[in-house]
Amino acid sequence: MRRSPLGRRPRTLHRVPLLARLRVGRKLMLLVLLPVTGLLILTAFSSVAQWREARTLRDFHTATGVSFAATEVTGAVARERLAAVKARLRPGPATRAERTEAERATDRVLAGALARAASWPGSDVAGDLDALGRQLHSLRARTATGSLTGPDIADRYAHVQDTLLADVTALESGRPTRASGRAADAHLALLRAIEAAEREQTEVAALLAGPAGRPTGAGRWPALESAQLDAFRENTSAELRTRLHLIQFQDPGRAVREVRDLLATATPETARWPSYEQWLADSGARLDSLRAIQDRAARALDATAGHDRREAETRAVREPAVSLAVLAAVTFLALALSRSITRPLAQVSAGARALSCGDLSYDIRYTGRDELGEVADTFRELRVTTERLAAEIRAMNTAIDHNRLEHRADEASFEGTWSQLLGGMNDTMASFAAAHGRREDAEQELASIFDLSLDLLCISGVDGYFKRVNPAFERTLGHPRETLLARPFIEFVHEEDRDTTRAALARLASGVEVAEFENRYLRADGTECWLEWSARPVPEQGLVYATARDVTESRRAAREQAALRRVATLVAHGAPPSQVFARVAEEVGGLLDTTAAVLRQEADGSRTVLGTVLGIPEELEEATREARRAAGQQAMDEVTRTRCAAHVGHAVGAPIVVDDRLWGFVLAASPLEVLPAGTESRLADFTELAATAIANADSRAQLTASRARVVAAGDASRRRIERDLHDGVQQRLVALQLDLRLAETLVTDPSSELAEQLAHVGKGLDDAFQDLLQVARGIHPAILSKGGLGPALRSLARRSAVPVELDLRLPAGRLPEPLEVAAYYVVSECLTNVAKHAHARVVEVVARIRDGVLELTVRDDGVGGAEPGSGSGLIGLIDRVEAIGGKLVVSGLPGEGTTVDVRLPLAAPSPDP
């Protein structure tokens, strides 16, 4: 292995044992304090257990204090219960005053218990006491009204007592020691016994005050009282057991026991019953004696809990104090011993740490002749070598700072690892020089791409300023580079987009990438352009790298296409030209942010406005009206002259050409700014759509007129044929019938074959005449021409093979002839179809005039399922109705009949302008 300049082997890395990691002073301390520390840990565990026991006893002692306060409330409520029952059983001023005084006493005791319970962090005794207070107030209110009987009052107060006893039981249920547990059990048992005696008192008092004056039935409380007193005797002291025994055999106790024996007898002697007042006096005296014993039991419980608590606290303090005193003495002796050993070691260790951290100014002053002195000498030699190495490194750094990448360190003046380190630094310098050359080439390539890019590239700071922009910024925005870099870029953003731009910058500052964010920038000439951004932040440098694309034209084209689609959809749906003109004006005004109008060129040279939109504030519209009118007039004159789109200052216009003639104009005018060049060409598509709408409207009008002419010609032909039949064929048939009758009169023998033949020919002439009459009526009914629609429909109803119910609400005057003819043939065809196919029992025909429309309904109850396309009859009716601007609808499911609804406008439809 190669030796170091100091002649020592280099230090090798290996796993350090646990004890070798500790300092000498700590090893000495461990040697002395380890046994003592073990003892201290055992003492600490014991102390923790004793403190826990002391805290448990302290909590139990505090809980008993709260339970005593609750016990006082129990006694006060018991006295209030007795006073309330007495006031109900024997009402009078004295009993009412006694009840009032008992209620006040209860409130005072309850307030004190609430104050005492507020300091108890355990169960919610204060909440229970507060709730019981509200129950007592409610019970007192009902008791005062007299709505409760004596037993009811006793039961409701008993419920309050049960709740209080439950709280007392919960507070005294801790049982931290055997003595405290027995005292708590004795106290609780006596409380329950007293509660049983109090309930017995009120129950027997209610029985004695009954209508018969004597009770019937045994009480249920003595057994409970006896069981609780037995539990009390098992857990209390001999003194209290003796006092309880005396109470049981004194006069009040004997009197109460005699009453209990009478209640237990099946047929008690009425003469032995005590009076109401005597019972209350005896039972009350006995209860007072029991309460006195209960007070002594409470004091015994308090004394027992306090004694246990004090003993536990004393043990918890005494034992840790002794252990800590021993540990402090041993620790002092160990520190005094280790200081004399660790002081020189600390000086050498500090020097080694300073040298390892690069601090060459630290000097180790220890010059002893022991092992520590040799270590100090070695570190001083290492310091000199390190200073020489640091000088070479500083020279290398200075060369890098001054871009002298040819500098190399003198590695020959060092040996071993130091020489290898300087050799590696020389290699790093050579690699850095090569990388620096490649970086310069890459920066030049990047700068070329940055400057030649058609997209907008920039580097900005989170402070809101551009740090670098490419020439595309200058070309797009029209501002020089110096202006863009000198002002916050938010000043170039459109005012309406500044808030969203600030929000995007805040997201970038927090490290979130932003993609496809759009905002508007203002060019140097005042126009606006839309930019679509993609940005990536570098939070540690406070920079944002971003690229933008000018999407102004694409957005403008998208808006134009959307507007054209809306207008084209309107035209495709067959909207009236007036609606199309209004939409064209609205879309042009919204697209160009100007006023817009659609005008028609009249034959006399005048122009009619068909659709207009202002698109600017009202005050600006009034102020610039004349200027816009003059500019618009110039634009229309130019369009009229050239029949091409024209741009004249603040206005542009485009012609609407229909059938190679100038039909009208689409005009747009700006109140303040000159419209950009090329705006007029953007109107061409709108004018083509307007021309298409006009052509469609003309086609529909011509189709409607042609259908009306066809129907009118057919009706005229029917009338002409009907007249020809009436004036020609019918008259000749009548003349032949007269000649035949004359010939019949010339025959002398009526039974001859000639007479029979003449009679047969006469009958044939009559049948032919009737058939011809029916044909004439079917071609065109004469009654329709003479009487109008109402008589004609009645005639159809009379001749119908199916019964017809008519509901005709028609005006007295005549309706237009085409409308009457259409209505007549609709009803006639419907009645014919019903007779042939519907198998209906009745047909309902309703006709009325509403809002200038004849509404005609033909409804049957037949098989239904009629389809307009299933035969030529309904199709012909639909054509006839639609030819005069009406509408016919056939409805009805199979089995539910058929309904034909017809709407015929009284006025003929007028074509749109």
Side-chain angles (χ1 to χ4, degrees):
M1 180 179 293
R2 188 175 181 182
R3 299 181 64 84
S4 66
L6 300 179
R8 296 179 176 86
R9 293 180 179 273
R11 190 178 181 183
T12 58
L13 297 177
H14 60 277
R15 185 178 181 85
V16 181
L18 177 62
L19 293 179
R21 300 176 188 177
L22 300 178
R23 296 178 179 274
V24 174
R26 293 180 181 177
K27 291 178 181 179
L28 294 175
M29 292 294 294
L30 283 176
L31 181 63
V32 176
L33 299 179
L34 190 58
V36 178
T37 303
L39 177 62
L40 180 62
I41 291 174
L42 294 177
T43 305
F45 278 113
S46 176
S47 300
V48 169
Q50 291 173 359
W51 275 111
R52 288 179 179 174
E53 180 184 359
R55 184 177 61 185
T56 302
L57 289 169
R58 183 168 57 253
D59 293 342
F60 178 74
H61 194 194
T62 305
T64 56
V66 178
S67 72
F68 296 156
T71 302
E72 293 179 5
V73 177
T74 304
V77 171
R79 288 187 287 274
E80 181 180 338
R81 172 176 58 188
L82 180 60
V85 172
K86 290 167 64 178
R88 183 66 182 86
L89 297 177
R90 300 290 175 86
T95 56
R96 285 195 294 272
E98 181 181 355
R99 183 185 65 189
T100 302
E101 181 60 29
E103 291 175 354
R104 292 174 180 172
T106 302
D107 290 340
R108 288 193 298 270
V109 174
L110 182 61
L114 278 171
R116 185 69 178 270
S119 62
W120 171 243
S123 58
D124 189 16
V125 180
D128 293 344
L129 293 176
D130 184 63
L132 289 176
R134 291 193 295 272
Q135 292 181 15
L136 286 175
H137 285 298
S138 175
L139 179 57
R140 291 168 184 172
R142 296 192 63 184
T143 303
T145 60
S147 60
L148 299 176
T149 63
D152 291 339
I153 294 172
D155 289 342
R156 294 178 185 274
Y157 274 101
H159 176 70
V160 176
Q161 288 283 79
D162 291 339
T163 304
L164 286 170
L165 286 176
D167 288 339
V168 172
T169 302
L171 290 169
E172 297 183 8
S173 61
R175 305 174 180 276
T177 64
R178 179 177 179 81
S180 298
R182 287 176 59 95
D185 289 341
H187 182 246
L188 291 174
L190 188 56
L191 281 178
R192 296 189 185 99
I194 292 173
E195 171 60 16
E198 288 171 344
R199 294 192 183 185
E200 178 189 28
Q201 181 187 33
T202 55
E203 183 178 299
V204 174
L207 294 174
L208 292 173
R214 290 293 182 268
T216 58
R220 60 183 181 276
W221 303 110
L224 177 59
E225 177 190 336
S226 177
Q228 295 298 333
L229 290 179
D230 290 342
F232 173 74
R233 293 187 186 95
E234 291 177 0
N235 294 285
T236 191
S237 62
E239 178 186 358
L240 294 182
R241 284 198 297 269
T242 302
R243 287 181 176 274
L244 179 62
H245 182 75
L246 293 176
I247 290 173
Q248 296 293 95
F249 291 95
Q250 288 177 351
D251 290 340
R254 288 196 302 272
V256 169
R257 192 165 54 253
E258 290 176 359
V259 172
R260 290 176 178 175
D261 294 339
L262 286 175
L263 288 173
T265 305
T267 57
E269 299 179 10
T270 58
R272 296 177 58 190
W273 292 121
S275 64
Y276 171 78
E277 291 80 4
Q278 182 181 355
W279 165 252
L280 290 178
D282 292 339
S283 61
R286 182 174 178 272
L287 282 172
D288 290 341
S289 300
L290 289 175
R291 290 193 185 97
I293 296 178
Q294 181 259 325
D295 291 340
R296 288 179 174 272
R299 287 195 295 272
L301 173 60
D302 183 67
T304 302
H307 178 266
D308 292 343
R309 170 186 174 179
R310 287 189 295 274
E311 284 189 350
E313 289 176 348
T314 301
R315 289 194 304 271
V317 172
R318 182 178 57 246
E319 294 180 4
V322 173
S323 298
L324 288 175
V326 173
L327 180 62
V330 174
T331 302
F332 176 76
L333 293 175
L335 288 174
L337 179 63
S338 64
R339 185 174 179 82
S340 62
I341 300 174
T342 58
R343 181 177 295 177
L345 287 175
Q347 189 176 7
V348 173
S349 176
R353 282 197 301 271
L355 183 60
S356 65
C357 295
D359 184 8
L360 303 181
S361 62
Y362 187 84
D363 187 16
I364 301 176
R365 297 184 178 85
Y366 184 71
T367 58
R369 298 303 179 186
D370 54 3
E371 291 83 355
L372 293 176
E374 293 180 0
V375 173
D377 293 338
T378 303
F379 274 110
R380 281 190 282 269
E381 294 176 4
L382 180 61
R383 172 185 170 186
V384 174
T385 304
T386 306
E387 286 179 347
R388 290 173 55 211
L389 181 64
E392 290 291 340
I393 294 175
R394 285 194 293 271
M396 182 78 71
N397 293 333
T398 303
I400 294 175
D401 292 339
H402 292 82
N403 203 21
R404 292 186 287 105
L405 302 182
E406 70 281 358
H407 175 79
R408 298 294 182 268
D410 184 13
E411 58 181 297
S413 60
F414 292 86
E415 296 180 1
T417 303
W418 308 126
S419 178
Q420 296 175 8
L421 176 61
L422 291 179
M425 291 179 62
N426 289 334
D427 295 340
T428 302
M429 177 67 82
S431 300
F432 181 74
H436 182 70
R438 291 193 298 271
R439 187 189 67 180
E440 290 181 345
D441 296 339
E443 287 179 351
Q444 291 178 0
E445 294 174 359
L446 181 61
S448 299
I449 296 174
F450 190 82
D451 294 337
L452 295 176
S453 174
L454 297 179
D455 290 335
L456 286 73
L457 305 178
C458 70
I459 302 174
S460 67
V462 294
D463 57 354
Y465 283 85
F466 287 122
K467 306 303 181 184
R468 184 179 179 185
V469 295
N470 69 338
F473 261 92
E474 300 179 79
R475 293 192 300 269
T476 302
L477 300 182
H479 296 287
R481 184 191 306 269
E482 294 74 15
T483 303
L484 293 172
L485 299 180
R487 294 162 55 186
F489 60 75
I490 200 68
E491 295 183 5
F492 302 103
V493 178
H494 194 283
E495 291 184 359
E496 297 178 0
D497 295 343
R498 290 183 179 179
D499 290 339
T500 56
T501 304
R502 292 190 182 96
L505 182 61
R507 293 199 303 272
L508 288 168
S510 63
V512 178
E513 291 190 11
V514 175
E516 298 183 0
F517 169 74
E518 292 186 0
N519 61 1
R520 287 171 289 179
Y521 269 67
L522 297 176
R523 296 188 179 98
D525 58 1
T527 60
E528 63 183 40
C529 64
W530 282 90
L531 299 181
E532 182 181 5
W533 292 88
S534 293
R536 175 175 296 175
V538 184
E540 60 273 11
Q541 299 179 6
L543 298 177
V544 176
Y545 295 88
T547 177
R549 180 175 299 170
D550 188 357
V551 295
T552 306
E553 292 301 325
S554 61
R555 286 180 63 90
R556 179 181 298 168
R559 289 181 61 192
E560 284 188 24
Q561 292 302 317
L564 288 171
R565 280 196 300 271
R566 290 191 290 269
V567 177
T569 301
L570 201 63
V571 173
H573 288 169
S578 59
Q579 187 175 352
V580 174
F581 298 151
R583 176 56 66 85
V584 168
E586 179 183 346
E587 295 293 349
V588 171
L591 190 62
L592 302 179
D593 294 329
T594 62
T595 60
V598 178
L599 302 94
R600 182 173 60 194
Q601 179 75 22
E602 303 294 349
D604 58 356
S606 62
R607 299 179 177 96
T608 303
V609 177
L610 303 179
T612 183
V613 64
L614 293 179
I616 57 176
E618 183 177 354
E619 59 276 8
L620 184 59
E621 190 274 334
E622 293 179 356
T624 61
R625 183 178 301 166
E626 293 302 327
R628 287 185 292 105
R629 182 180 290 116
Q633 184 64 43
Q634 294 178 10
M636 287 187 292
D637 292 342
E638 183 66 19
V639 171
T640 303
R641 186 180 63 83
T642 61
R643 296 175 64 87
C644 297
H647 185 299
V648 181
H650 291 264
V652 293
I656 301 175
V657 179
V658 179
D659 295 333
D660 293 331
R661 65 183 179 88
L662 181 61
W663 189 91
F665 311 89
V666 175
L667 191 68
S670 175
L672 298 177
E673 300 176 354
V674 176
L675 293 174
T679 305
E680 65 277 9
S681 62
R682 300 169 65 186
L683 301 182
D685 293 332
F686 290 99
T687 58
E688 291 178 5
L689 290 173
T692 302
I694 296 168
N696 290 345
D698 289 342
S699 299
R700 287 195 298 272
Q702 292 173 9
L703 177 60
T704 302
S706 65
R707 293 174 68 180
R709 287 195 299 271
V710 170
V711 172
D715 292 341
S717 299
R718 288 172 178 270
R719 287 193 296 272
R720 185 174 62 256
I721 294 172
E722 190 272 336
R723 282 197 306 271
D724 293 343
L725 290 175
H726 183 271
D727 296 340
V729 179
Q730 287 184 3
Q731 297 301 325
R732 286 195 294 273
L733 287 176
V734 171
L736 288 174
Q737 284 180 326
L738 292 176
D739 292 341
L740 185 61
R741 296 291 182 267
L742 180 60
E744 287 179 346
T745 59
L746 297 178
V747 178
T748 58
D749 186 6
S751 61
S752 63
E753 182 178 355
L754 178 59
E756 292 179 356
Q757 188 66 28
L758 291 175
H760 178 70
V761 173
K763 185 177 183 307
L765 285 173
D766 287 339
D767 292 341
F769 182 80
Q770 293 298 326
D771 291 342
L772 183 60
L773 184 61
Q774 293 296 328
V775 171
R777 288 176 178 173
I779 293 174
H780 187 79
I783 190 172
L784 182 63
S785 301
K786 298 177 181 179
L789 182 60
L793 294 181
R794 294 187 184 92
S795 175
L796 284 175
R798 287 192 298 269
R799 296 199 309 271
S800 174
V802 180
V804 179
E805 296 179 356
L806 291 176
D807 182 9
L808 305 180
R809 285 172 278 181
L810 300 174
R814 294 293 298 273
L815 299 176
E817 182 180 1
L819 185 144
E820 289 186 338
V821 173
Y824 176 84
Y825 280 114
V826 166
V827 176
S828 176
E829 181 68 23
C830 289
L831 293 179
T832 301
N833 290 338
V834 170
K836 289 181 179 180
H837 310 292
H839 307 293
R841 295 188 300 272
V842 66
V843 181
E844 180 183 1
V845 179
V846 179
R848 59 184 175 182
I849 303 296
R850 179 184 296 175
D851 298 332
V853 176
L854 171 61
E855 296 179 352
L856 181 65
T857 302
V858 182
R859 185 183 301 109
D860 66 73
D861 59 353
V863 296
E867 294 290 340
S870 60
S872 60
L874 289 177
I875 295 176
L877 293 180
I878 293 174
D879 292 340
R880 176 180 287 276
V881 169
E882 291 181 351
I884 60 174
K887 187 176 182 180
L888 184 145
V889 178
V890 181
S891 60
L893 299 175
E896 297 182 2
T898 303
T899 300
V900 178
D901 291 311
V902 182
R903 291 175 57 86
L904 297 170
L906 298 182
S910 59
D912 245 308

